[in-house]
Amino acid sequence: MIRIILIACFVIGAPALVWAQDEEIIADPENQGTEEFIGDPENQGTDEEIIGDPDNEGDEVIGDPENQTATPARAPSFGGDSGFSSTSFVGSYKNQIWVDTQFDGDNEDVFEQFTDLDLRLEFEPDSQLKIVLEGEFRHWWAFKEGGESVRASYDARLGEAYVLWRLDRWSFTLGNQIVTWGATDLARPGDVVNARDLTIITPTGNLEKVPELMLDVSYAGDAWGIQLLLVPFFEANRVWAFGRDTAILNADTNPLVAERYPIVPLISSVVDDSLQDDIQPLVQATKVPDELPQNLSFGGRITATLANTDFGLAYFFGWDRTSFFSIDEDLVELLQVAQADGQFLEDFDFIGFATRNPEVIGITDSIGQKVSAGDELFVSEYRRIQTISTDVARYVGPIGVRADVAFQPAKTYLDADLNSVRRPTLSSALGLSYENFVDETDAYAITIEGFYNKPFSRDSALTETFVDASERGANDEMFIVGEQSYGAQAAVTWAIPGPELQITFGSVAYLSSSDLLFGGSISRRWFTWLRTGVAGLFFESYGQNDRLTLGTLYDQNDYVGIEVDGFF
């Protein structure tokens, strides 16, 4: 049910929510480091990598991406110990079942089951070389009220798979990797390197990043570090455009989609459910960056420690993973007529279609002239984006204080009328955290952050400087986001030693749109290979909204469920 970037942004508490800016999934209350000390061998510290050594298992301070050390990057000890050799294999499984709390939506899935299997092999022949290989297997199935319309999907893919070579203070990593930038625990507005997997989101599941092929060259000095990245190929976010309850272009929950992009409900009506997974990319984009040198992405981050405070400065030149739509108005009108006619989608009899709808003749003549002139009737493509970010982190006694600020000169949004626009965007977050670790069964972490996200107006000097006039749009109100998005969020993880329970909770209050989103889970690990729990996720709107917001749009998609997982 709750399976898209919007929901993703909450499930892990995402503040700087920008509906159509899929890549900005910025909150994960489940990944606060608690799993690190509750015996979860899957969380090997990937999301908290220390610059200079992207593996760093066991080096993390819970909830502190800057690691509260005198240096921002650990200088590895590369003695080339010929006697050192290590091989490890970890498998994990997870089975989740979710049920809607209300069976009153139109054409909604009321039951969903997710089954995951991950296999990870790590081999270190000596202290300088490490090889990682991971496979991910995903299965999903669901049905609607009354057991109707049973659907399923399966996906097998390569996870992290890389070779790491250490040489003195240098480290070189090549292969499928996950890189995390920023200081805040939840928001991290400058964390833009990896694509995101937004297809399966649950209150107790991490919002996964998509490992991407890249070269990471890092150097760790005594009190500073530098990391350089080269990403040769484009990777889109894994996201449902249609066919799921909370898909981005779901005409059932958002009638404006049917009006503005009638091709979506048309595809949904003529394509069998078994093929929906395969054609998702065609709806999201008709053009993608080809695997050519001119389409590579690159960037770097510099960190330094001064007066027990960690500083970071980063730049990344990549791709905006929200596609820019452009659709001809005549084509929109023709599709709207076809959708309203209904019969044409069953018999594809154009003569009968034109007889019932005489205006079709004029519309098709106009479309034919545009095609002859070489005009493109429908284009959905990805644009380049630059991100400049800075971050700072330090501890004041036991309290961690962190801040992030990111600026993107031209970012893609959908405005309130679902037209694609580009705007300069400023995103920021300020957070406090407290962690206490006794042992694997007695630990807790709490994080509270405020966030602010501002797409600049079409008439601002920054917009006129960085965005072409044809892409500025006429509306300053963005879909879901409005003119700006701000609020507060919190994440709690708690391991209780007596009953050996683990409690997780996440909440986001969108003060700018009067939405309150919250969810969490209670679970118990019986053995390494068995943990059971219950979870839930809820969307509420407590204001009088005169526009679509996250709470009003998905209020019917609250759900509860159970989960079973383990390691072997």
Short mmCIF file of all heavy atoms in Angstrom, two decimals, residues 90-129:
data_model
loop_
_atom_site.label_atom_id
_atom_site.label_comp_id
_atom_site.label_asym_id
_atom_site.label_seq_id
_atom_site.Cartn_x
_atom_site.Cartn_y
_atom_site.Cartn_z
N VAL A 90 26.73 -14.23 4.80
CA VAL A 90 25.54 -13.91 5.57
C VAL A 90 24.33 -13.95 4.65
O VAL A 90 24.33 -13.34 3.59
CB VAL A 90 25.64 -12.51 6.22
CG1 VAL A 90 24.31 -12.15 6.91
CG2 VAL A 90 26.78 -12.45 7.22
N GLY A 91 23.32 -14.68 5.08
CA GLY A 91 22.05 -14.68 4.37
C GLY A 91 20.97 -14.12 5.28
O GLY A 91 21.03 -14.26 6.50
N SER A 92 20.00 -13.45 4.70
CA SER A 92 18.90 -12.92 5.49
C SER A 92 17.60 -13.07 4.72
O SER A 92 17.59 -13.06 3.48
CB SER A 92 19.12 -11.44 5.84
OG SER A 92 19.05 -10.64 4.68
N TYR A 93 16.51 -13.23 5.46
CA TYR A 93 15.20 -13.32 4.82
C TYR A 93 14.24 -12.42 5.59
O TYR A 93 14.44 -12.07 6.76
CB TYR A 93 14.68 -14.76 4.85
CG TYR A 93 14.26 -15.23 6.22
CD1 TYR A 93 12.93 -15.09 6.66
CD2 TYR A 93 15.18 -15.79 7.09
CE1 TYR A 93 12.55 -15.50 7.93
CE2 TYR A 93 14.81 -16.21 8.36
CZ TYR A 93 13.49 -16.06 8.78
OH TYR A 93 13.12 -16.46 10.03
N LYS A 94 13.17 -12.00 4.92
CA LYS A 94 12.13 -11.20 5.57
C LYS A 94 10.81 -11.47 4.88
O LYS A 94 10.73 -11.47 3.64
CB LYS A 94 12.45 -9.71 5.49
CG LYS A 94 11.39 -8.81 6.13
CD LYS A 94 11.75 -7.34 6.00
CE LYS A 94 12.93 -7.01 6.88
NZ LYS A 94 13.22 -5.54 6.90
N ASN A 95 9.79 -11.70 5.67
CA ASN A 95 8.44 -11.91 5.14
C ASN A 95 7.49 -10.94 5.85
O ASN A 95 7.44 -10.93 7.09
CB ASN A 95 7.98 -13.36 5.35
CG ASN A 95 6.70 -13.66 4.61
OD1 ASN A 95 6.61 -13.47 3.41
ND2 ASN A 95 5.69 -14.12 5.33
N GLN A 96 6.76 -10.14 5.08
CA GLN A 96 5.89 -9.12 5.64
C GLN A 96 4.50 -9.24 5.03
O GLN A 96 4.36 -9.44 3.82
CB GLN A 96 6.46 -7.73 5.36
CG GLN A 96 7.86 -7.54 5.93
CD GLN A 96 8.56 -6.35 5.32
OE1 GLN A 96 8.49 -6.13 4.10
NE2 GLN A 96 9.24 -5.58 6.13
N ILE A 97 3.48 -9.07 5.87
CA ILE A 97 2.09 -9.10 5.42
C ILE A 97 1.40 -7.84 5.92
O ILE A 97 1.42 -7.55 7.12
CB ILE A 97 1.35 -10.35 5.97
CG1 ILE A 97 2.00 -11.62 5.43
CG2 ILE A 97 -0.13 -10.30 5.59
CD1 ILE A 97 1.41 -12.89 6.00
N TRP A 98 0.79 -7.09 4.99
CA TRP A 98 0.15 -5.82 5.34
C TRP A 98 -1.32 -5.83 4.93
O TRP A 98 -1.68 -6.31 3.86
CB TRP A 98 0.86 -4.66 4.66
CG TRP A 98 2.34 -4.64 4.90
CD1 TRP A 98 3.31 -4.66 3.97
CD2 TRP A 98 3.00 -4.59 6.16
NE1 TRP A 98 4.55 -4.64 4.56
CE2 TRP A 98 4.37 -4.60 5.91
CE3 TRP A 98 2.56 -4.54 7.49
CZ2 TRP A 98 5.32 -4.56 6.94
CZ3 TRP A 98 3.50 -4.51 8.50
CH2 TRP A 98 4.86 -4.51 8.22
N VAL A 99 -2.16 -5.25 5.78
CA VAL A 99 -3.59 -5.18 5.52
C VAL A 99 -4.05 -3.74 5.75
O VAL A 99 -3.68 -3.12 6.76
CB VAL A 99 -4.38 -6.12 6.45
CG1 VAL A 99 -5.88 -6.01 6.18
CG2 VAL A 99 -3.91 -7.56 6.26
N ASP A 100 -4.86 -3.21 4.81
CA ASP A 100 -5.40 -1.86 4.98
C ASP A 100 -6.30 -1.79 6.21
O ASP A 100 -7.03 -2.75 6.50
CB ASP A 100 -6.21 -1.46 3.74
CG ASP A 100 -5.33 -0.85 2.67
OD1 ASP A 100 -4.11 -1.00 2.76
OD2 ASP A 100 -5.89 -0.23 1.74
N THR A 101 -6.29 -0.66 6.88
CA THR A 101 -7.19 -0.48 8.01
C THR A 101 -8.59 -0.07 7.56
O THR A 101 -9.54 -0.15 8.32
CB THR A 101 -6.65 0.60 8.96
OG1 THR A 101 -6.52 1.84 8.25
CG2 THR A 101 -5.30 0.18 9.52
N GLN A 102 -8.72 0.39 6.28
CA GLN A 102 -10.02 0.76 5.73
C GLN A 102 -10.16 0.16 4.34
O GLN A 102 -9.26 0.29 3.52
CB GLN A 102 -10.16 2.29 5.62
CG GLN A 102 -9.95 3.04 6.90
CD GLN A 102 -10.05 4.54 6.70
OE1 GLN A 102 -11.08 5.06 6.28
NE2 GLN A 102 -8.97 5.24 7.00
N PHE A 103 -11.29 -0.47 4.08
CA PHE A 103 -11.54 -1.05 2.76
C PHE A 103 -12.52 -0.14 2.02
O PHE A 103 -13.57 -0.55 1.57
CB PHE A 103 -12.16 -2.44 2.88
CG PHE A 103 -11.21 -3.49 3.39
CD1 PHE A 103 -9.97 -3.15 3.90
CD2 PHE A 103 -11.54 -4.82 3.34
CE1 PHE A 103 -9.09 -4.11 4.38
CE2 PHE A 103 -10.68 -5.80 3.81
CZ PHE A 103 -9.45 -5.44 4.34
N ASP A 104 -12.17 1.14 1.89
CA ASP A 104 -13.10 2.07 1.25
C ASP A 104 -12.47 2.85 0.11
O ASP A 104 -13.02 3.83 -0.35
CB ASP A 104 -13.66 3.06 2.28
CG ASP A 104 -12.55 3.82 3.01
OD1 ASP A 104 -11.36 3.59 2.69
OD2 ASP A 104 -12.87 4.64 3.88
N GLY A 105 -11.30 2.42 -0.35
CA GLY A 105 -10.69 3.09 -1.48
C GLY A 105 -11.20 2.53 -2.78
O GLY A 105 -11.79 1.46 -2.85
N ASP A 106 -11.01 3.29 -3.86
CA ASP A 106 -11.41 2.83 -5.18
C ASP A 106 -10.30 1.99 -5.79
O ASP A 106 -9.18 2.45 -5.96
CB ASP A 106 -11.70 4.04 -6.10
CG ASP A 106 -12.89 4.85 -5.62
OD1 ASP A 106 -13.80 4.23 -5.03
OD2 ASP A 106 -12.92 6.07 -5.82
N ASN A 107 -10.62 0.75 -6.09
CA ASN A 107 -9.69 -0.12 -6.81
C ASN A 107 -8.36 -0.25 -6.07
O ASN A 107 -7.28 -0.23 -6.67
CB ASN A 107 -9.45 0.44 -8.22
CG ASN A 107 -8.84 -0.59 -9.14
OD1 ASN A 107 -9.12 -1.78 -9.02
ND2 ASN A 107 -7.99 -0.15 -10.04
N GLU A 108 -8.40 -0.41 -4.75
CA GLU A 108 -7.16 -0.47 -3.97
C GLU A 108 -6.83 -1.90 -3.55
O GLU A 108 -7.71 -2.75 -3.40
CB GLU A 108 -7.27 0.41 -2.73
CG GLU A 108 -8.28 -0.08 -1.70
CD GLU A 108 -8.18 0.68 -0.39
OE1 GLU A 108 -7.21 1.40 -0.18
OE2 GLU A 108 -9.08 0.53 0.44
N ASP A 109 -5.54 -2.14 -3.36
CA ASP A 109 -5.09 -3.41 -2.80
C ASP A 109 -5.30 -3.35 -1.29
O ASP A 109 -4.82 -2.43 -0.63
CB ASP A 109 -3.61 -3.65 -3.10
CG ASP A 109 -3.36 -3.86 -4.59
OD1 ASP A 109 -4.18 -4.53 -5.22
OD2 ASP A 109 -2.36 -3.33 -5.09
N VAL A 110 -5.97 -4.35 -0.75
CA VAL A 110 -6.22 -4.36 0.70
C VAL A 110 -5.32 -5.36 1.42
O VAL A 110 -5.25 -5.36 2.64
CB VAL A 110 -7.70 -4.67 1.00
CG1 VAL A 110 -8.60 -3.61 0.40
CG2 VAL A 110 -8.08 -6.05 0.48
N PHE A 111 -4.64 -6.21 0.66
CA PHE A 111 -3.73 -7.20 1.23
C PHE A 111 -2.48 -7.26 0.38
O PHE A 111 -2.54 -7.32 -0.85
CB PHE A 111 -4.39 -8.57 1.27
CG PHE A 111 -3.46 -9.68 1.72
CD1 PHE A 111 -3.37 -10.03 3.05
CD2 PHE A 111 -2.66 -10.35 0.80
CE1 PHE A 111 -2.51 -11.05 3.46
CE2 PHE A 111 -1.79 -11.36 1.20
CZ PHE A 111 -1.72 -11.70 2.54
N GLU A 112 -1.30 -7.22 1.02
CA GLU A 112 -0.03 -7.33 0.30
C GLU A 112 0.94 -8.17 1.13
O GLU A 112 0.96 -8.09 2.36
CB GLU A 112 0.58 -5.95 0.05
CG GLU A 112 -0.23 -5.06 -0.86
CD GLU A 112 0.44 -3.73 -1.07
OE1 GLU A 112 1.32 -3.64 -1.95
OE2 GLU A 112 0.10 -2.77 -0.36
N GLN A 113 1.74 -8.96 0.43
CA GLN A 113 2.77 -9.75 1.08
C GLN A 113 4.09 -9.55 0.34
O GLN A 113 4.15 -9.57 -0.89
CB GLN A 113 2.42 -11.23 1.09
CG GLN A 113 3.47 -12.08 1.80
CD GLN A 113 3.10 -13.54 1.90
OE1 GLN A 113 2.18 -14.00 1.25
NE2 GLN A 113 3.81 -14.28 2.74
N PHE A 114 5.17 -9.37 1.12
CA PHE A 114 6.50 -9.16 0.58
C PHE A 114 7.44 -10.22 1.14
O PHE A 114 7.46 -10.47 2.35
CB PHE A 114 7.04 -7.78 0.97
CG PHE A 114 6.13 -6.65 0.63
CD1 PHE A 114 5.13 -6.26 1.51
CD2 PHE A 114 6.26 -5.97 -0.56
CE1 PHE A 114 4.28 -5.22 1.21
CE2 PHE A 114 5.42 -4.92 -0.87
CZ PHE A 114 4.42 -4.54 0.01
N THR A 115 8.21 -10.84 0.28
CA THR A 115 9.21 -11.81 0.70
C THR A 115 10.56 -11.42 0.11
O THR A 115 10.68 -11.26 -1.11
CB THR A 115 8.83 -13.23 0.23
OG1 THR A 115 7.54 -13.57 0.75
CG2 THR A 115 9.84 -14.24 0.73
N ASP A 116 11.55 -11.24 0.98
CA ASP A 116 12.89 -10.82 0.56
C ASP A 116 13.92 -11.87 0.97
O ASP A 116 13.82 -12.47 2.04
CB ASP A 116 13.28 -9.49 1.21
CG ASP A 116 12.31 -8.37 0.88
OD1 ASP A 116 11.51 -8.54 -0.05
OD2 ASP A 116 12.37 -7.34 1.58
N LEU A 117 14.91 -12.05 0.12
CA LEU A 117 16.06 -12.90 0.43
C LEU A 117 17.32 -12.19 -0.03
O LEU A 117 17.41 -11.76 -1.20
CB LEU A 117 15.94 -14.26 -0.28
CG LEU A 117 17.15 -15.19 -0.14
CD1 LEU A 117 17.33 -15.62 1.31
CD2 LEU A 117 17.00 -16.41 -1.06
N ASP A 118 18.29 -12.02 0.86
CA ASP A 118 19.57 -11.39 0.54
C ASP A 118 20.70 -12.35 0.88
O ASP A 118 20.71 -12.96 1.97
CB ASP A 118 19.76 -10.10 1.33
CG ASP A 118 18.77 -9.02 0.91
OD1 ASP A 118 18.45 -8.95 -0.28
OD2 ASP A 118 18.31 -8.27 1.79
N LEU A 119 21.67 -12.48 -0.02
CA LEU A 119 22.84 -13.32 0.18
C LEU A 119 24.09 -12.47 -0.03
O LEU A 119 24.22 -11.82 -1.07
CB LEU A 119 22.83 -14.50 -0.81
CG LEU A 119 21.58 -15.39 -0.79
CD1 LEU A 119 21.66 -16.43 -1.89
CD2 LEU A 119 21.41 -16.05 0.57
N ARG A 120 25.00 -12.48 0.96
CA ARG A 120 26.17 -11.60 0.89
C ARG A 120 27.43 -12.40 1.22
O ARG A 120 27.50 -13.07 2.26
CB ARG A 120 26.02 -10.44 1.87
CG ARG A 120 27.16 -9.43 1.83
CD ARG A 120 26.93 -8.34 2.88
NE ARG A 120 28.00 -7.35 2.89
CZ ARG A 120 27.97 -6.20 2.25
NH1 ARG A 120 26.91 -5.89 1.52
NH2 ARG A 120 28.98 -5.34 2.32
N LEU A 121 28.42 -12.29 0.35
CA LEU A 121 29.72 -12.95 0.53
C LEU A 121 30.81 -11.90 0.57
O LEU A 121 30.87 -11.03 -0.30
CB LEU A 121 29.98 -13.93 -0.61
CG LEU A 121 31.33 -14.66 -0.60
CD1 LEU A 121 31.42 -15.60 0.61
CD2 LEU A 121 31.52 -15.43 -1.90
N GLU A 122 31.67 -11.97 1.61
CA GLU A 122 32.81 -11.07 1.72
C GLU A 122 34.08 -11.90 1.85
O GLU A 122 34.14 -12.83 2.66
CB GLU A 122 32.65 -10.15 2.94
CG GLU A 122 31.45 -9.23 2.86
CD GLU A 122 31.40 -8.24 4.01
OE1 GLU A 122 32.38 -8.23 4.81
OE2 GLU A 122 30.41 -7.50 4.12
N PHE A 123 35.10 -11.51 1.07
CA PHE A 123 36.37 -12.23 1.08
C PHE A 123 37.51 -11.23 1.16
O PHE A 123 37.61 -10.30 0.37
CB PHE A 123 36.50 -13.07 -0.20
CG PHE A 123 37.84 -13.73 -0.34
CD1 PHE A 123 38.32 -14.60 0.62
CD2 PHE A 123 38.63 -13.49 -1.46
CE1 PHE A 123 39.56 -15.21 0.49
CE2 PHE A 123 39.87 -14.09 -1.61
CZ PHE A 123 40.33 -14.96 -0.63
N GLU A 124 38.38 -11.42 2.19
CA GLU A 124 39.56 -10.58 2.37
C GLU A 124 40.79 -11.47 2.40
O GLU A 124 41.12 -12.05 3.44
CB GLU A 124 39.45 -9.78 3.66
CG GLU A 124 38.32 -8.76 3.67
CD GLU A 124 38.32 -7.91 4.93
OE1 GLU A 124 39.20 -7.03 5.05
OE2 GLU A 124 37.44 -8.13 5.78
N PRO A 125 41.48 -11.61 1.28
CA PRO A 125 42.67 -12.46 1.26
C PRO A 125 43.81 -11.90 2.09
O PRO A 125 44.68 -12.64 2.55
CB PRO A 125 43.03 -12.52 -0.23
CG PRO A 125 42.43 -11.28 -0.81
CD PRO A 125 41.18 -11.02 -0.03
N ASP A 126 43.85 -10.57 2.28
CA ASP A 126 44.84 -9.94 3.14
C ASP A 126 44.26 -8.62 3.62
O ASP A 126 43.12 -8.29 3.33
CB ASP A 126 46.18 -9.74 2.42
CG ASP A 126 46.04 -8.95 1.12
OD1 ASP A 126 45.37 -7.89 1.14
OD2 ASP A 126 46.58 -9.39 0.08
N SER A 127 45.04 -7.85 4.38
CA SER A 127 44.54 -6.62 4.99
C SER A 127 44.39 -5.48 3.99
O SER A 127 43.86 -4.43 4.33
CB SER A 127 45.46 -6.18 6.13
OG SER A 127 46.77 -5.92 5.62
N GLN A 128 44.85 -5.65 2.76
CA GLN A 128 44.77 -4.58 1.77
C GLN A 128 43.65 -4.78 0.76
O GLN A 128 43.25 -3.82 0.10
CB GLN A 128 46.11 -4.47 1.03
CG GLN A 128 47.25 -3.95 1.89
CD GLN A 128 48.52 -3.79 1.07
OE1 GLN A 128 49.05 -4.76 0.54
NE2 GLN A 128 49.01 -2.56 0.97
N LEU A 129 43.13 -5.97 0.65
CA LEU A 129 42.17 -6.27 -0.40
C LEU A 129 40.89 -6.86 0.18
O LEU A 129 40.92 -7.69 1.08
CB LEU A 129 42.77 -7.27 -1.40
CG LEU A 129 41.91 -7.64 -2.62
CD1 LEU A 129 41.71 -6.41 -3.52
CD2 LEU A 129 42.57 -8.77 -3.40
#
